[in-house]
Amino acid sequence: MQRRVFLASMLAVVVLGALVTRVIQNQYYYFAAYVILQYVVLATAWNILGGYTGYVNFGSAAFFALGAYTSVVLIKAAAAPLVVLVVAGGLVSGLLGLGIGYLTLRLRGVFFAIATLALAVVLQTMFINWEYVGGARGIYIIRPKTVPFFTSYVEFLFAVMVVLAVVAVTVAWWIENSRVGRGLAAIRDNEEAAECMGVPTLKLKLVATTVSGVLMGVAGAPFPYYVTYVEPSSAFNLDYAVNSLAMPMIGGTTTWAGPVLGAVLLGTAQQVATVTISSALNLLIVGIILVAFVILAPEGIIGLVRRVTKGKRG
Amino acid sequence: MADPLLEVHNVTKRFGGFEALSNVSLEVREGERFGLIGPNGSGKTTLINCISGALRNDGGRILFRGTDVTEMPAYQRTRLGIARSFQIPKPFTSMTLLENLCIPLEYAAHARSGGDEAAGDAREILRLMGLESKAHITPAGLSQIEMRKLELARAMAAKPKLLISDEAMAGLSSAEVDDILAILFKLNEDGITIIMIEHIMRAVMRFSERIVVFDAGAKIAEGTPQAIAENKEVEKAYLGE
Amino acid sequence: MFSVDLLLNAIIAGILLGGFYAAVSLGISVAFGLLDVVNIAHPVFVILGSYAAYAMNTSLGLDPIVAGLLFTPVFFALGVAVYRIYYNSFEKKGEESLRGLVFFFGILFIVEVVLLLQYGVDYRLVEAAYIGESVHIGPVGIAFRLLVPCLVGMGLTLALYLFLSKTFYGRAIQAVAQDSLALRLMGANPIRIKTLAFGLAIATASLAGALLIMIGPVEPSMNREYIGRVFAIAVLGGLGNIGGTFVAALILGVVESLTSTFYGPSWALAVSFGVLLLTLAVRPAGLFGR
């Protein structure tokens, strides 16, 4: 029953997204909504590893950028269509995810987190030194002139991101309500005990890191067409790493709704702030909100809401 | 006598230069109540870590029901029927007691249908342990003895053939020790082989049919509680020269 | 192209750089190695130190090292404040590992953005009479802007080493790493000792920051480059081992300098992060760990 409600509402989101493109004309809204949806995907992806499994990834930007640069290569080499880019970006980042999954064999807790940060810098350096994709200077990407069914390419990108966000959230929801999700929660709570209770910890961690990597890569794949100019410092921007962990932390890390809520709230606030204040100031606000939440409301908004409703009942 | 359920052959475990276990061999028979004692740091916990798969032994072999499990990851050993409790309880803190038990039920006891059936089994085990009233709270709300019972309950939920109880009674009152002992006797009656590691002599002596004594990583004595109590070597290991 | 002179110069420059890296890494070695506090915001405090020295240098014409020393009490107080929040919010509840890490990540981000708002993305540098000078010994040129930071870094390492091994408080800090029971027997309050040690760790960032801006121009986001470096050095040196940290800093300095000379500066950073990844994966206890 619950399953039907969830899937129906996901379908409704897609339909709504499609309808919106028939109604709204102002292109700015599509630009803004794209970014927010992209954060829904990133935050959801981060949360599968960070929130469900308890492994903090500081290198989200690396997975995102890997997806973006995979697209750059494919656009430049083969002028591949967007569907191919998304699939390829997901695959490449998924492979990197699988790789960091094996790192969990030796590295736990803070050491794992530091390793992901190091990984991001190493990858960024490699792209800075890779001339084919523009090196440190960056590279211009030309959007296809027209796209069927949509009045502008940005509307099309928006629609693609709606679908990707729905896919990401559905994957997270499925994991959460499956045996896999319960196994991941056991790993998060106590990895040694989980293994001794029959949970194949390595296998499940590999699933989590790979799925998380795939989704982050998928989020990055349309990025070159969105910005039309890709450079390492924008693709590997620390903002992605901070936001993709701040959003779940603020929304709540134990359910799929947490990262979605965090991404929509924080993402919208940032979009508004960028227009009305300044982009540096809006980052400051994100930082302060993040610190305030980890100190004061470690369970996020979802946790706060639960505490309040429970309090009323009891 | 019954066949050996667990065979440990010449197991050695080193940490850097320190040999925590040297050439240890022992057998545990099906249905047995087996005691493992020794001073702190004598290698008891290292041995059960090797048996359960938390550590890999550097030398020797471990067989369970005739299958060589030496190279097997811990989770597979649990699925074969080796379950353990931890000396320092390691509950799944974000889950209710019921959910705590559902993990081994789903993953080790192969309650494939998951969901309702696992929850039913979990409730049954909680009832057996006297924890049914706490089924829907998280472990943070448990007392010391309840936490120990949860450790045992969760191990039981893996539906093991061999249960290793690692100091399940340390720090408990005399009445609470009897409480845990009664549970372990009951499990043994139901056909589960039990290895008990314990410092509380009264409990091990009463519970075990056979006892092995460890000192400095080696087995120094083996026999009935009676024989161990009268063994001079054992006395020396415990009391010093 | 390759030549012995070039090699020699690269090695000397690397050693000098290493002495400075030691100054940047000591705070991490104390906080992470001895206190188990994963302060990934340490490099951003170093950058903060750079800007403090910059402000003093441009407004009052103060020597950067003097400025760095003058600011150590301020940074000490900052460290004490940060540790208080950290302790009360995370450590006390036993939730330090992951949430604590995110907390420091947030601090890093906030300090960086504040500096960005105040000073912008432009590179800033300091002036002092000796900064442009250098001496030549045979084919090897030694720039004062590298020599002075190296010497100060060595002095800082020695001072910290002596403090930790010879004084009561130093030994108490060492004891807190091993077990707090021994510490209580010494009659010291573990929380106070840890607060003191963390304050000290951040205080070193003030001086290290002054050295950083002497070596080259600084901008707010530079702290990120140092996250990998300082952790690579601290882990490689064996956590909490001051002497080991110093040797590891020299090794990394030389490796980076060689990479930079023979492959180009853009690879140098990847080398230090690569070393960190390798160390973590192969020998997390470091070169000098047990």
Side-chain angles (χ1 to χ4, degrees), chain B residues 123-142:
Chain B
R123 254 185 220 102
E124 178 59 28
I125 295 169
L126 285 177
R127 200 185 53 74
L128 195 77
M129 296 282 172
L131 287 173
E132 70 265 53
S133 62
K134 313 261 176 175
H136 296 290
I137 65 165
T138 59
L142 294 184

Side-chain angles (χ1 to χ4, degrees), chain C residues 43-76 78 111 114-116 118-119 124-127 202-214 216-220:
Chain C
V44 93
F45 287 116
V46 173
I47 304 288
L48 197 63
S50 295
Y51 277 92
Y54 165 76
M56 289 296 109
N57 184 259
T58 45
S59 62
L60 304 174
L62 221 54
D63 181 88
I65 291 175
V66 174
L69 281 172
L70 277 179
F71 266 95
T72 48
V74 179
F75 276 65
F76 180 84
L78 188 65
V111 175
V114 166
L115 287 174
L116 204 69
Q118 190 63 35
Y119 294 102
R124 306 283 167 160
L125 44 87
V126 288
E127 279 164 22
I202 300 301
T204 66
S206 168
L207 201 55
L211 302 179
L212 173 66
I213 198 163
M214 188 182 292
V218 168
E219 54 94 22

Side-chain angles (χ1 to χ4, degrees), chain B:
Chain B
M1 260 341 278
D3 291 332
L5 180 77
L6 176 78
E7 300 163 62
V8 173
H9 295 299
N10 310 99
V11 163
T12 298
K13 175 72 197 173
R14 280 179 290 270
F15 296 106
F18 171 68
E19 201 164 78
L21 288 177
S22 17
N23 219 12
V24 171
S25 297
L26 54 83
E27 276 183 8
V28 179
R29 292 178 215 111
E30 180 124 39
E32 197 172 18
R33 296 190 303 274
F34 185 89
L36 194 57
I37 62 173
N40 279 326
S42 58
K44 298 170 306 227
T45 296
T46 306
L47 178 68
I48 63 155
N49 277 336
C50 287
I51 295 171
S52 67
L55 292 174
R56 294 289 164 86
N57 39 302
D58 299 310
R61 313 225 60 86
I62 297 168
L63 274 68
F64 182 70
R65 304 174 82 199
T67 312
D68 190 333
V69 297
T70 316
E71 304 294 331
M72 221 178 247
Y75 79 92
Q76 281 180 11
R77 299 189 202 194
T78 309
R79 289 174 178 186
L80 273 187
I82 304 176
R84 68 174 291 189
S85 69
F86 289 95
Q87 191 177 338
I88 298 158
K90 295 181 175 179
F92 301 130
T93 44
S94 71
M95 307 179 194
T96 65
L97 264 55
L98 205 64
E99 288 165 341
N100 260 275
L101 300 205
C102 284
I103 294 290
L105 278 167
E106 268 192 286
Y107 273 96
H110 298 284
R112 290 222 178 274
S113 48
D116 294 340
E117 198 183 308
D121 281 8
R123 254 185 220 102
E124 178 59 28
I125 295 169
L126 285 177
R127 200 185 53 74
L128 195 77
M129 296 282 172
L131 287 173
E132 70 265 53
S133 62
K134 313 261 176 175
H136 296 290
I137 65 165
T138 59
L142 294 184
S143 67
Q144 170 96 326
I145 177 155
E146 286 166 341
M147 199 72 110
R148 301 300 173 93
K149 284 183 176 174
L150 171 61
E151 272 295 305
L152 286 176
R154 200 177 53 174
M156 286 315 302
K159 306 260 169 88
K161 301 195 172 52
L162 171 66
L163 174 67
I164 306 172
S165 157
D166 190 0
E167 295 198 31
M169 303 170 216
L172 298 185
S173 74
S174 167
E176 289 168 338
V177 166
D178 288 341
D179 201 359
I180 300 277
L181 270 181
I183 290 171
L184 290 175
F185 268 115
K186 167 82 174 60
L187 295 176
N188 182 249
E189 267 169 40
D190 295 344
I192 297 170
T193 309
I194 294 175
I195 298 180
M196 176 192 281
I197 294 170
E198 201 54 67
H199 274 302
I200 301 171
M201 277 308 147
R202 183 178 67 87
V204 200
M205 290 297 175
R206 213 178 100 199
F207 181 77
S208 312
E209 294 166 299
R210 200 153 59 91
I211 291 176
V212 159
V213 188
F214 267 61
D215 188 33
K219 189 167 90 172
I220 58 164
E222 179 171 359
T224 60
Q226 182 79 30
I228 294 295
E230 291 159 2
N231 188 312
K232 290 276 172 284
E233 285 266 339
V234 176
E235 205 176 308
K236 225 163 57 183
Y238 268 91
L239 302 174
E241 301 292 331

